[in-house]
Amino acid sequence: MHLLMKILKWLAIGFITLVIILIAGSYILYSTTDMKQPDLDVSDLSDLPFSITDSLRSYGDNTLILNRQGLWELYVKGTPFERGVAIGRISEDLLYYQEKVFVDEIRKIIPSEKYLKFLRYFLVIFNRNLGKQVPEENREEIYGISLSCTDEFDAIGTPYERQLNYHAAHDIGHMMQAYRLVGCSSFGTWGNESADSMLIIGRNFDFFVGDDFAKNKVVAFYHPDEGYKFASVCWIGMTGVLSGMNEVGLTVTINASQASVPIGSATPVSILARIILQYAGTIDEAYRIAESHKTFVAESLLVGSAKDGKVVIIEKSPDKIGMHQSSSGRIVCTNHYQSDVFRNDPKNAENIRTTDSGYRLHRMNELLDRAGKVDHQKAAGILRDTLGLQDKLIGLTNEKSINQFIAHHSVIFKPQELKMWVSTSPWQMGEFVMYDLGEIFGKMDSAKITVSSVDADLTIEPDAGLTSGTYIRVQNYRRLKDEISNAIKQGETVDSKRLEVFLQTNAEYFYTYELLGDYYLSQDKPAEALSYWQTALTKEIPRLGDKENIEKKIGKNN
């Protein structure tokens, strides 16, 4: 007995010592975090002419224009710090709105203040070396923007720290796959697959942080003091690249994939895409840049090149890089790897087996086969497609759809003509407006742009779903879904007529039946719940985990 007590005593001492070491280590990591804020003398900033109206803002030669279609057009030039300061000065209210919407959406996902504080603590430690991984040029631009940011969210970090961390938002979305914040589908055609043999590239950027987050879309035109001029579709404050094209016809779009869980931060993929767009003119140059930067998430970068006359996929994980090339005039990219480097990777195989990525890739190939020679009009139709394989009705908002009604933006590029079509709200259903980058970059060399650069003659018409009732159905479905979900949480009842409307609004979608089953179980009606769950299993379910979850509910309540 005495020996047992001694053993327990030393185990307790060892455990307490380990806890102390972990707490002390975490504190040291937290307190020594250095985000490498640039050491710049703000007092030296020149006081440039500044003006603001409802649709036109300017600071020196930099302007922000709200066009008729509801897109903000940003035109900036100069050194990194000058560009950042200009962006901040002409968009202070938009920066506040964007940040508040983002923080509010995170609070919906993680409503507990304790968990939010822990998340902040974790992110500080996880991203403690983020500053070292972001080039000085990019940090100076971000710092310039942060000078116009609010202090309201300082509990999350200083304005500079927050803005730097937001550039990893897409990456952090990888780590929250259960919340389905990231998706994306893209393709490229050329040669005998395109209408005039020229490159056509289309992409949906499915990054969903609520519809309000996508309200103020920005088309940014950069005239940097070093590197190529380029255009990027983003939100205000985002200096990284999500979808963009430079003045020599090189395009970059990013698509999330899956790899091992990261253990520390590295270069955010949007910053890597920005470096490629600003400094690469060919696929080889883009690959060398991608190879020289370590990323902390798995990502596919669809890179098109007017000089090379083709499109490739550069695939990166935290420890490997590969390139997928096509032997035909077509390439398709969703959310899994396709190169030889990752062909036998267990995580990639699991990703293909358990998610909707492979399904969307097959659907996009099906649509491309049917389209024949692709032009910008056909590209828009593919990006707007809501059906499943062989045109099967699989329900609106299904992850197996190319168009899931969550896209922040859609873009179509024609690199050899330097033309770019950008979607307008809602999602990719609004008209696609065309920008002639060759003309715009030429004007930026010598003039201050004060009117919208949209070419109205080459606009792609809005999707028919805006007037046929599809848009209203999606809106009604999501509203009723939230109402029923809240009723389940609160133990409340929902009028039977509203439940019927909910069912009829999206009767082919598996989740409609799963949620109704959950509701009836909350009302202590297991027979009705089982019926709806069993019906859900007859529908197209995007993820293996979703199917297994429904089967568990049936087994538990049968």
Side-chain angles (χ1 to χ4, degrees), residues 21-93:
I21 291 171
L22 288 173
I23 292 173
S26 297
Y27 175 76
I28 291 170
L29 289 175
Y30 183 88
S31 60
T32 58
T33 295
D34 182 5
M35 302 291 271
K36 297 293 180 182
Q37 179 173 307
D39 184 16
L40 297 169
D41 189 351
V42 180
S43 64
D44 288 343
L45 284 176
S46 56
D47 190 16
L48 300 177
F50 173 74
S51 67
I52 181 169
T53 66
D54 289 343
S55 59
L56 174 62
R57 304 158 180 220
S58 68
Y59 179 74
D61 289 335
N62 308 279
T63 55
L64 182 64
I65 300 166
L66 180 61
N67 67 27
R68 180 187 63 79
Q69 294 83 2
L71 296 175
W72 288 96
E73 299 174 14
L74 174 67
Y75 302 87
V76 290
K77 58 177 65 176
T79 67
F81 187 51
E82 290 169 346
R83 296 193 302 265
V85 170
I87 292 170
R89 287 295 304 275
I90 57 182
S91 65
E92 187 172 344
D93 58 328

Side-chain angles (χ1 to χ4, degrees), residues 401-418:
S401 302
I402 304 301
N403 173 14
Q404 302 167 30
F405 301 97
I406 63 171
H408 178 274
H409 63 261
S410 283
V411 187
I412 300 165
F413 299 112
K414 197 170 185 182
Q416 285 138 325
E417 293 184 354
L418 291 180

Side-chain angles (χ1 to χ4, degrees), residues 460-493:
I460 299 172
E461 291 298 313
D463 185 81
L466 278 178
T467 54
S468 68
T470 300
Y471 172 69
I472 297 299
R473 281 178 60 201
V474 172
Q475 293 291 79
N476 289 340
Y477 177 77
R478 285 183 169 156
R479 186 179 66 254
L480 289 169
K481 181 183 72 172
D482 290 343
E483 181 181 330
I484 296 168
S485 296
N486 289 331
I488 294 172
K489 292 177 184 177
Q490 302 298 326
E492 299 172 349
T493 60

Side-chain angles (χ1 to χ4, degrees), residues 309-335:
K310 64 179 181 179
V311 185
V312 303
I313 304 172
I314 298 175
E315 299 176 342
K316 275 187 70 67
S317 73
D319 54 2
K320 290 189 290 188
I321 184 170
M323 184 188 294
H324 175 60
Q325 302 191 61
S326 173
S327 58
S328 67
R330 174 200 306 181
I331 200 164
V332 175
C333 181
T334 49
N335 299 113

Side-chain angles (χ1 to χ4, degrees), residues 388-431:
L389 289 171
Q390 300 178 342
D391 296 337
K392 182 178 181 179
L393 293 170
I394 60 176
L396 300 174
T397 74
N398 194 316
E399 286 182 86
K400 286 186 170 181
S401 302
I402 304 301
N403 173 14
Q404 302 167 30
F405 301 97
I406 63 171
H408 178 274
H409 63 261
S410 283
V411 187
I412 300 165
F413 299 112
K414 197 170 185 182
Q416 285 138 325
E417 293 184 354
L418 291 180
K419 290 178 180 176
M420 177 175 80
W421 286 263
V422 181
S423 68
T424 60
S425 295
W427 313 297
Q428 58 270 68
M429 296 185 75
E431 61 184 321

